[in-house]
Amino acid sequence: ELFPHGKFLHLHRDPLDAALSMKAHNHFRIRAFKHHGLRTEGGLCWSDLEAQDLNDQLPMSPKLQAVFEHDVPLEYFLQDWSDCILRGMRTVRELAPSQYAEVRFEELIREPEVVLPRIVEFFELPEQPDWIRRACSLLREGQAAHAEADAAQLALIRERCEAALVLLGRSPAMELYR
């Protein structure tokens, strides 16, 4: 609504790689703890934290430390990834095809010299070959983790992310009729 003629680039990442990255990042861990109503082993929940617990002073309060040390299950991050994709894709339907483009994070990391020019073209940016060369030099193959899902993780991905994966073209749509 704010940008009716805007162009939107959706950079998306494999759900397991994204979820594992989120699981290792304190911001996402805190968000999951609060959003999903989790409790520490000692029974501490988000509403038990007070203003003095939520500051950036060291040492960290024992309550906040307990929250940070709580192992947030992977399923919550997979669900958050899926929910975000599904919410966003509802809005994408309202855009003209010329307003929307997608890029897989893994493809950007693997072939930046191919993907970055497509992004430049999509946004109708002036040609600046030196910019693309410099940008390519900043990317490292290791940034795309390429985690291999074990059986339990694969089951969670199927359970929590299948609809989003289909919408992104990362998984084939189920055959409804044979």
Side-chain angles (χ1 to χ4, degrees):
E1 292 173 359
L2 293 175
F3 304 100
H5 304 290
K7 291 191 170 202
F8 302 88
L9 178 69
H10 181 189
L11 177 65
H12 53 85
R13 189 174 184 188
D14 173 82
L16 181 58
D17 285 341
L20 290 171
S21 178
M22 292 164 73
K23 187 175 172 69
H25 193 285
N26 285 338
H27 168 78
F28 291 104
R29 292 171 50 76
I30 290 288
R31 185 199 172 283
F33 191 85
K34 180 180 179 183
H35 182 72
H36 296 288
L38 302 178
R39 290 185 173 275
T40 65
E41 288 182 22
L44 184 69
C45 68
W46 181 258
S47 62
D48 295 327
L49 297 174
E50 300 168 21
Q52 66 263 22
D53 296 314
L54 301 173
N55 61 49
D56 56 1
Q57 295 178 7
L58 293 176
M60 187 181 300
S61 79
K63 288 181 186 177
L64 189 57
Q65 186 69 38
V67 169
F68 278 133
E69 290 174 355
H70 181 73
D71 182 36
V72 179
L74 186 64
E75 64 199 62
Y76 293 111
F77 300 109
L78 289 169
Q79 188 66 54
D80 286 349
W81 179 90
S82 183
D83 290 347
C84 184
I85 298 297
L86 295 175
R87 276 192 314 275
M89 294 306 277
R90 279 194 296 273
T91 303
V92 166
R93 296 184 309 204
E94 300 169 17
L95 299 174
S98 63
Q99 289 182 275
Y100 178 76
E102 290 183 11
V103 171
R104 290 180 182 218
F105 178 75
E106 301 82 6
E107 183 182 352
L108 174 62
I109 296 297
R110 188 176 55 254
E111 298 180 303
E113 65 285 341
V114 173
V115 176
L116 289 174
R118 286 193 343 236
I119 294 171
V120 167
E121 183 180 334
F122 172 70
F123 284 115
E124 301 174 35
L125 299 172
E127 286 191 38
Q128 294 183 3
D130 192 49
W131 173 84
I132 290 177
R133 183 190 57 74
R134 288 191 327 259
C136 289
S137 72
L138 296 174
L139 300 172
R140 296 182 312 277
E141 181 69 30
Q143 289 175 307
H146 305 300
E148 291 293 326
D150 62 28
Q153 291 169 332
L154 194 54
L156 282 173
I157 292 167
R158 284 191 184 118
E159 175 188 331
R160 304 284 175 147
C161 302
E162 192 62 32
L165 288 167
V166 169
L167 287 173
L168 293 174
R170 287 178 172 267
S171 182
M174 182 175 83
E175 282 189 44
L176 297 178
Y177 304 101
R178 290 187 183 218

